[in-house]
Amino acid sequence: MNEFAKRVLALTAELVRIPSIDAEGQRKVAARALAQLAASPYFALRPEKAQLTSWGEGADRLDSVFAVYDEPMKAGVADTVILCGHLDTVGVDKHIRKYGADEALPFDPDRLPEWLARVFPADKELHADLASGEWMCGRGAFDMKGGSAVALELAKHLAQCGFPWNVVLLLTADEETESRGIKSALPALAKLQQAGMKFRLLLNLDYTSALTPGDANAYAYTGTIGKALIGLTVYGTETHAGAPFEGVNAAALLSAILARLEGNQKLTQHVKGEFTPPPTALSADARQPEYSVTTPAFGRALLNVFFMHHTHGEYLRLITNEVRRACRLHITDLKRRHRRMCAKANLDIGEKLVLPEVLTFATLRKRLEDALGKDEAAVVLRPPDGVTEPREACLRVVELAAGKLDFQRPTVIVSVLPPFYAPYSAALHDDAKEVCAAVRKLAQDWRGDGFTPLKQRHFYPYISDMSFLALPGDGKLTPLLENCPAQELLALPRAELRLRMPVVNLGPLGKDAHRVAERVHMPFLALELPA
């Protein structure tokens, strides 16, 4: 194994050993990455070229690494490539509780394999991987400290060898939740662009994995999927549990809606033979604040949706129509059950099963403005003080607005909540077709060290910081913005910071991202990927 590959593996293990789940951990891992850069010959002589960009203050401050090699720019060459990765990871608490590991174990690539082999004796694939000696285990080894290590070592190498293009290294914080790291770096990127740099490519090194069982390919993605979070707020009508047909149970109605939306193939999108995953519920809550035999009158849920097209208005209409259909089917079924109950008991049992009205938040806002006037409605629609969690703040705004209106029947409100990630495909943009063709040719011709087959696809199938380097204009975003209860909490970059460039993801090959057996394939990570 060459010296470059050894450095990649050593740095990956070093970064894995620094838990970067929270803000403090992310600051520590960013500081370590910056120290690695600062020790390299090019950046040691030019410390101002490698810095941290920050988001927030105090204990909540998040740091990202921003480094620039710009010797070609000084010679009149504007072409620039950005190497991008993220330094944060998802948490491990549930794994610690479930399997009884000590808190440090998930971050220890040396001790973890023996523990995994003992805890998962029946997992033949895992045991084969561990026995091969080709896999590094640990939280973040795959997602994505391995890719970040490659990006960092490449930046050092390209700067030292006099690469003919400018190179920007960007290792971000907070990719796993709100992507605040990439947003904090946009002003610095915009400044470089204003100085004359031409961003020809952003190369993200986030992970790739098998798309189907037995898939042995690595993938280069010439774009990324989009994501939105849909809020569902349900108002039913209370009734005694002994007379369930005399009201609409919000918990049951919410369950019926989610059952209709979960895995709904009507809400998938496709481009060039690639499909988005269908919607799935991330949370649902219709609990009573205390025990009661009165049926719940309120519930809410979060629904994850992916998309490839910027037809946001049409997509929201499809979702809203599926919610309406779920409500109609639910009430129709309850009425049928009511008739059967009456016949079975030979009684005329009371029934007040009213079809719910389904509104988008934009419609709710319009009704509120009509009822109160725009100025007073704006006061009601202000996020409440003291609520810092963005999704909770948005849902509270929905509740405040609904509380000012007198609903005459059960009601469901569909809203858009943070975070939002924009879709992008190089194949659909004329200015990126050269990049798309180059990646396709790379995949066709690839014969690397060890030769893992490489395939090109159009959409990275997981959310990615790439979305914020390919944002559309406000016109295409309007249907989303007008249905978000607190648009400022979407934290979309200002118009002057909405840079657009071709984005490609080509990262490590591994397995079990976000799981306790997360592991990265070391030969591909250290040898093939850098090449």
Side-chain angles (χ1 to χ4, degrees):
M1 185 172 289
N2 61 51
E3 288 303 313
F4 185 95
K6 291 178 182 177
R7 290 199 303 272
V8 166
L9 294 180
L11 181 57
T12 300
E14 182 179 356
L15 297 179
V16 168
R17 290 189 178 96
I18 305 173
S20 52
I21 296 164
D22 57 15
E24 181 182 6
Q26 290 179 46
R27 291 195 298 271
K28 289 180 179 179
V29 78
R32 189 69 196 108
L34 183 64
Q36 282 279 343
L37 273 176
S40 65
Y42 180 82
F43 293 106
L45 294 174
R46 304 165 184 84
E48 75 282 0
K49 298 292 185 183
Q51 301 289 334
L52 297 177
T53 64
S54 299
W55 178 290
E57 298 177 349
D60 296 325
R61 191 189 82 238
L62 297 169
D63 291 340
S64 299
V65 177
F66 190 91
V68 181
Y69 158 73
D70 60 358
E71 298 307 306
M73 189 72 182
K74 297 174 184 176
V77 177
D79 295 322
T80 304
V81 61
I82 301 173
L83 301 175
C84 191
H86 68 83
L87 295 169
D88 62 318
T89 69
V90 296
V92 297
D93 287 352
K94 60 185 178 181
H95 298 137
I96 292 173
R97 289 195 300 268
K98 183 175 181 180
Y99 300 110
D102 67 79
E103 292 187 4
L105 186 63
F107 308 99
D108 191 333
D110 296 325
R111 289 195 297 138
L112 191 55
E114 186 275 331
W115 183 85
L116 289 172
R118 187 174 71 253
V119 172
F120 300 104
D123 190 331
K124 294 181 180 179
E125 183 177 1
L126 173 61
H127 278 258
D129 289 346
L130 297 178
S132 73
E134 293 187 348
W135 296 80
M136 181 188 297
C137 302
R139 172 60 75 234
F142 181 32
D143 181 19
M144 70 159 291
K145 289 176 176 176
S148 294
V150 172
L152 191 151
E153 290 296 338
L154 276 176
K156 289 162 52 179
H157 172 74
L158 296 176
Q160 187 62 22
C161 74
F163 191 62
W165 280 14
N166 305 289
V167 178
V168 176
L169 173 67
L170 183 53
L171 303 179
T172 68
D174 191 48
E175 188 267 359
E176 296 286 2
T177 50
E178 304 285 345
S179 285
R180 289 171 289 186
I182 188 70
K183 293 172 186 176
S184 70
L186 290 176
L189 288 174
K191 187 175 180 180
L192 292 177
Q193 189 178 62
Q194 292 162 6
M197 278 193 181
K198 182 179 180 181
F199 297 132
R200 297 288 300 276
L201 170 69
L202 180 134
L203 183 60
N204 199 43
L205 283 84
D206 213 338
Y207 76 88
T208 65
S209 61
L211 297 179
T212 57
D215 180 9
N217 297 307
Y219 291 93
Y221 294 95
T222 51
T224 186
I225 204 168
K227 165 204 162 75
L229 192 64
I230 302 299
L232 300 169
T233 305
V234 175
Y235 290 90
T237 48
E238 294 177 333
T239 181
H240 193 284
F245 296 112
E246 293 192 7
V248 175
N249 186 322
L253 177 59
L254 181 60
S255 297
I257 294 169
L258 292 178
R260 176 78 188 178
L261 297 176
E262 183 77 18
N264 190 326
Q265 76 281 357
K266 290 183 179 180
L267 299 176
T268 60
Q269 295 184 347
H270 60 91
V271 171
K272 297 182 179 294
E274 297 179 30
F275 288 81
T276 60
T280 189
L282 298 185
S283 72
D285 186 2
R287 293 171 293 178
Q288 301 276 38
E290 56 189 25
Y291 173 74
S292 174
V293 291
T294 302
T295 60
F298 174 78
R300 63 187 192 179
L302 303 179
L303 185 79
N304 190 86
V305 296
F306 291 115
F307 44 88
M308 294 172 170
H309 304 285
H310 282 298
T311 52
H312 304 309
E314 178 183 338
Y315 191 52
L316 284 171
R317 281 193 294 274
L318 284 174
I319 294 171
T320 305
N321 285 338
E322 285 300 293
V323 173
R324 290 193 178 103
R325 188 169 290 111
C327 292
R328 186 168 63 249
L329 292 172
H330 179 63
I331 297 300
T332 299
D333 187 50
L334 285 178
K335 285 179 176 289
R336 185 184 302 114
R337 295 181 184 192
H338 171 259
R339 291 193 298 270
R340 290 174 178 172
M341 185 67 194
C342 289
K344 184 174 183 178
N346 195 25
L347 292 171
D348 185 12
I349 299 172
E351 181 256 285
K352 295 180 182 178
L353 296 169
V354 180
L355 181 66
E357 183 178 23
V358 179
L359 308 174
T360 63
F361 180 77
T363 301
L364 181 72
R365 176 191 282 119
K366 178 66 166 57
R367 290 189 183 180
L368 187 69
E369 291 174 346
D370 291 344
L372 304 181
K374 287 192 174 182
D375 291 342
E376 189 174 344
V379 174
V380 174
L381 295 170
R382 189 177 300 148
D385 294 336
V387 182
T388 58
E389 209 288 324
R391 286 146 292 278
E392 178 64 24
C394 286
L395 290 173
R396 290 283 294 278
V397 170
V398 174
E399 295 171 37
L400 291 169
K404 295 292 184 179
L405 298 174
D406 184 19
F407 294 141
Q408 298 300 306
R409 55 173 167 152
T411 303
V412 181
I413 301 158
V414 180
S415 57
V416 176
L417 312 178
F420 167 76
Y421 290 80
Y424 173 84
S425 173
L428 303 180
H429 294 268
D430 290 338
D431 61 350
K433 288 185 177 178
E434 182 182 1
V435 166
C436 198
V439 174
R440 189 180 303 114
K441 188 174 190 307
L442 170 69
Q444 291 170 349
D445 297 345
W446 177 244
R447 293 293 184 273
D449 189 341
F451 185 42
T452 302
L454 183 63
K455 304 291 183 182
Q456 180 255 340
R457 289 178 68 87
H458 297 287
F459 290 93
Y460 185 63
Y462 320 105
I463 61 171
S464 168
D465 279 346
M466 290 187 289
S467 289
F468 296 97
L469 278 306
L471 280 169
D474 280 343
K476 290 184 177 180
L477 295 176
T478 296
L480 288 169
L481 295 173
E482 66 185 10
N483 282 290
C484 181
Q487 295 181 18
E488 65 274 18
L489 296 181
L490 285 175
L492 294 179
R494 302 190 309 274
E496 65 271 22
L497 297 179
R498 292 184 189 173
L499 311 177
R500 287 184 63 83
M501 64 193 72
V503 296
V504 171
N505 195 93
L506 178 57
L509 184 64
K511 299 176 183 178
D512 289 336
H514 292 206
R515 299 174 187 168
V516 69
E518 177 178 349
R519 57 199 185 275
V520 67
H521 188 241
M522 292 188 289
F524 186 83
L525 172 70
L527 295 170
E528 295 193 67
L529 180 58

